[in-house]
Amino acid sequence: MRTWLRLRGIPHTIPERADQVRNRARRGSRGGRPPAFDREICKHRNVVERCFNRLKQWRGIATRYDKTAESNKAAVTLASLLMWA
């Protein structure tokens, strides 16, 4: 996934898994350097992901029952307001 993002010039905030760290360390200098990782950006990404997951708990939003873009946007707005309140 990181390679795909890197080829397209997209910055990533994907933490490195423990097994990847071990494999890189095992290979020594051939293992390359660890990917850049910003913990603060990851915290903000986590907040956004949790928000999407909470929105998906609304059946109408998760299954996209709405026929038009306006009604879908209204449902997402309503669910967001109710979550925030």
Side-chain angles (χ1 to χ4, degrees):
M1 182 60 133
R2 283 189 198 94
T3 306
W4 185 86
L5 293 171
R6 194 176 304 118
L7 287 174
R8 285 154 183 81
I10 302 170
H12 60 80
T13 58
I14 304 169
E16 194 175 22
R17 294 191 324 242
D19 64 330
Q20 291 174 338
V21 172
R22 283 193 306 271
N23 288 336
R24 194 170 30 76
R26 180 178 49 81
R27 293 185 61 170
S29 63
R30 292 178 297 124
R33 61 176 190 251
F37 177 69
D38 188 354
R39 196 169 296 277
E40 289 303 313
I41 292 175
C42 190
K43 287 178 186 177
H44 295 298
R45 175 181 174 226
N46 185 23
V47 170
V48 172
E49 285 181 0
R50 284 187 284 135
C51 179
F52 276 113
N53 287 333
R54 287 196 55 196
L55 280 173
K56 287 181 187 178
Q57 290 176 0
W58 292 70
R59 186 175 62 156
I61 295 170
T63 56
R64 297 182 182 98
Y65 281 148
D66 298 321
K67 301 286 185 203
T68 63
E70 291 96 13
S71 60
N72 190 22
K73 183 178 178 182
V76 170
T77 303
L78 177 63
S80 300
L81 286 171
L82 290 174
M83 282 181 0
W84 193 36

